[in-house]
Amino acid sequence: MKLEFHGHDQRYVVEQSLMNLFPGELPVYEPVQPGEDTWAIVSCREDDRFHVTVELSWKGRAVPFSYGCPLAGTDFDREGQRRHAIAVCFYLAAREFLGAPPPWGILTGVRPDKPATWLLEEGKTPAEAARMLEEDYFVTPARAALAAETASAAAKAAGNLGPRDIAVYIGIPFCPTRCAYCSFVSQSVERSFALVPPYVDALEAELRAGGEMVRNLGLRVRAMYMGGGTPTTLSPGQMDRVLRVFAESFDLTSCGEITVEAGRPDTITAEKLAVLRDRGVTRVSVNPQTMEEEVLRAIGRHHTAGDIEAAMALAADCGFEHVNMDLIAGLPGDTPEGFRRSLDRCLAFGTDNLTVHTLALKKGSRLLEEGLSVPGPEAVSEMLDYAAPALRAAGYGPYYLYRQKYMSGSFENTGWTRPGGECLYNIYIMSELCSILSFGAGGSTKMVEPGTNHILRAFNPKYPKEYGERPEKWQANQQAFAAFYRRLGGAAGG
């Protein structure tokens, strides 16, 4: 779609609105020519108010719409009000061409419950926050209520955090095979088995250095999450070594949860689960994504639904305090009926956590490269519309959510839990409540200044080989992390 601006250069907000409302359309910054049928002209002017006009043409039909709002507060506040006004005006013009309204209205970004969080911080009730999401952001009632619930869970978790509390992430970027929908930087062990031992060596060095830094800074680790990839791709001995080094390097007195994504059922054995249990792991994930045999084959999984059931039985025998399962709505070859069967089978296990993802069409995934057929937005909507009431009826409630780019139907990923089963790490990272110190290839360290929107990031090398060969990169990241907390100051452990 051609985009033409007058009186402003708010490219980001217009581009995000365009991709949200017209999936597949890409911005083209060229003057609109007579006879062209798909374009938008966005004009702004300012006096005592901010005025926006959007002229939008879609397949030959043109619609104009105008919107205005007062500006108040600091320069930062006023800039946010301008962006909001442009997004509102673009949406109101675009809805003339839309079928069903997008579930999240004008909200774009990873955290659609962020406005609800702000409203709760201002003293609004969850019901008031939900209503304002509907009125100010055009969120559908069901998604507005969902956002208010997850924002409430974040507020509760935030109340138990101190200014020097952090979480730790350990990345294991290896998988037995690569799933069709995956674009994560992970190596198939089938091809790169030789990379694993040196990777574990490098990871130990980084963990020991990071642990010493954290102790010297007087920081408290409140949660650890080991993800990937598939961490249980490691051998029992390698897994034991990583968890032992973590426990030796950090003071875990205040660490209430240690989570490991066991993930792929074809990597789970009784011996590995025994290592996790003996090393104090409190939560494991067994992630089938689907229980439909044909869909498992379509996404490149080399295991069956029966293997998933066997893995869940092993986890139950080990007696983990919490177990999570993941499902994805919208996988190739799936149907609403198949998704319902998968969800019902997962509920029958009685696990206290269940995460329902929406398929994201990620660049670099085999799904896109090979053009695999996937269910349309209407079918995905039907899957999610079944999931929410079924989970609520089984005693689960939503406690965190997030979105990704190119998600089918512009829906969301939602974590559901029975009371007391929340994975605090998921809340911390999605609601940006505390710093996340990351270890391993592809690790993204997030430095969060408490009580502000000030966040800094530092990234480890993406690939396992590069990570092992360039320790100076993670060393620099740890130095940046230490400098961040020295600038903040404050009492150690407070």
Side-chain angles (χ1 to χ4, degrees):
M1 177 181 287
K2 281 195 173 182
L3 298 177
E4 190 173 310
F5 294 168
H6 298 281
H8 71 102
D9 192 26
Q10 295 280 0
R11 291 193 175 201
Y12 180 79
V13 65
V14 176
E15 287 178 1
Q16 293 299 304
S17 297
L18 173 64
M19 291 187 290
N20 181 40
L21 300 170
F22 298 97
E25 284 290 333
L26 297 176
V28 178
Y29 290 97
E30 294 177 2
V32 176
Q33 301 298 324
E36 293 179 328
D37 64 358
T38 302
W39 47 263
I41 300 175
V42 183
S43 305
C44 300
R45 64 181 179 84
E46 193 170 326
D47 41 43
D48 58 332
R49 293 168 61 85
F50 186 66
H51 304 270
V52 186
T53 298
V54 173
E55 299 174 75
L56 181 63
S57 176
W58 177 249
K59 298 181 179 178
R61 180 187 168 209
V63 170
F65 204 94
S66 296
Y67 180 82
C69 70
L71 297 176
T74 66
D75 289 345
F76 180 82
D77 294 333
R78 294 161 73 90
E79 184 62 18
Q81 292 156 11
R82 293 184 186 99
R83 291 195 299 268
H84 181 79
I86 291 171
V88 168
C89 194
F90 196 96
Y91 174 85
L92 293 174
R95 72 178 181 180
E96 297 294 322
F97 305 103
L98 303 177
W104 289 103
I106 66 171
L107 293 176
T108 56
V110 172
R111 289 182 52 209
D113 58 354
K114 185 182 289 189
T117 301
W118 296 334
L119 292 166
L120 293 180
E121 290 173 350
E122 294 171 4
K124 299 291 191 295
T125 67
E128 289 171 330
R131 185 171 66 252
M132 294 180 75
L133 287 179
E134 294 180 51
E135 295 173 353
D136 296 345
Y137 296 90
F138 308 97
V139 178
T140 62
R143 261 64 190 189
L146 177 66
E149 287 184 87
T150 56
S152 297
K156 181 180 178 182
N160 293 320
L161 284 173
R164 299 185 78 79
D165 287 346
I166 68 168
V168 167
Y169 177 84
I170 301 174
I172 307 296
F174 299 98
C175 282
T177 59
R178 186 168 179 149
C179 296
Y181 53 80
C182 183
S183 66
F184 287 128
V185 178
S186 59
Q187 302 288 320
S188 167
V189 170
E190 290 179 329
R191 295 184 175 182
S192 56
F193 182 79
L195 292 176
V196 179
Y199 181 83
V200 174
D201 291 341
L203 185 59
E204 175 174 351
E206 188 188 13
L207 283 167
R208 292 200 183 278
E212 181 179 3
M213 174 193 66
V214 166
R215 291 194 305 273
N216 291 339
L217 291 169
L219 304 180
R220 298 195 308 177
V221 176
R222 299 300 303 275
M224 186 276 266
Y225 192 101
M226 185 184 292
T230 304
T232 41
T233 303
L234 300 181
S235 70
Q238 291 164 340
M239 179 67 69
D240 184 72
R241 178 183 173 190
V242 172
L243 290 171
R244 174 178 53 80
V245 170
F246 168 68
E248 291 173 353
S249 302
F250 293 85
D251 179 358
L252 302 182
T253 305
S254 300
C255 185
E257 64 175 38
I258 298 176
T259 300
V260 173
E261 279 190 5
R264 294 273 295 261
D266 45 346
T267 68
I268 296 173
T269 66
E271 187 178 3
K272 291 179 185 180
L273 292 179
V275 167
L276 301 186
R277 180 197 59 210
D278 294 344
R279 287 295 177 186
V281 171
T282 59
R283 180 189 307 268
V284 296
S285 291
V286 180
N287 301 336
Q289 316 303 8
T290 178
M291 299 293 287
E292 296 284 286
E293 302 288 357
E294 292 183 3
V295 182
L296 286 170
R297 288 193 292 271
I299 64 176
R301 289 288 187 101
H302 293 175
H303 63 80
T304 66
D307 294 329
I308 297 165
E309 293 176 345
M312 288 297 293
L314 289 175
D317 289 343
C318 281
F320 289 103
E321 185 178 356
H322 303 291
V323 179
N324 174 74
M325 301 186 78
D326 281 9
L327 290 176
I328 299 178
L331 289 172
D334 209 356
T335 63
E337 295 76 19
F339 180 83
R340 287 198 291 270
R341 287 192 295 267
S342 292
L343 180 64
D344 290 346
R345 289 180 73 177
C346 288
L347 288 174
F349 291 115
T351 177
D352 64 353
N353 269 246
L354 211 156
T355 307
V356 178
H357 298 268
T358 301
L359 179 67
L361 303 175
K362 300 174 183 177
K363 295 179 181 178
S365 67
R366 185 166 61 83
L367 193 154
L368 279 187
E369 291 174 351
E370 298 181 6
L372 301 180
S373 177
V374 297
E378 297 80 7
V380 175
S381 177
E382 191 174 341
M383 296 173 188
L384 299 178
D385 287 347
Y386 177 79
L391 284 158
R392 290 186 188 278
Y396 297 79
Y399 76 100
Y400 81 99
L401 67 85
Y402 67 102
R403 298 172 72 196
Q404 297 167 276
K405 290 183 178 180
Y406 315 115
M407 295 185 78
S408 180
S410 296
F411 292 113
E412 68 287 323
N413 305 321
T414 307
W416 295 81
T417 183
R418 287 183 167 140
E422 294 85 354
C423 178
L424 292 174
Y425 177 89
N426 286 331
I427 301 178
Y428 294 162
I429 190 168
M430 293 305 166
S431 296
E432 297 173 334
L433 298 184
C434 68
S435 295
I436 309 293
L437 179 58
S438 294
F439 297 86
S444 173
T445 287
K446 183 182 295 186
M447 293 161 269
V448 178
E449 184 174 343
T452 74
N453 289 320
H454 182 215
I455 298 174
L456 298 177
R457 292 172 172 81
F459 303 93
N460 275 357
K462 287 184 176 181
Y463 300 100
K465 190 172 187 295
E466 180 189 11
Y467 165 76
E469 293 173 346
R470 294 186 58 201
E472 68 275 8
K473 185 66 177 76
W474 64 253
Q475 290 166 354
N477 292 345
Q478 290 189 9
Q479 291 168 4
F481 191 88
F484 177 82
Y485 274 95
R486 291 192 183 103
R487 286 195 301 271
L488 289 183

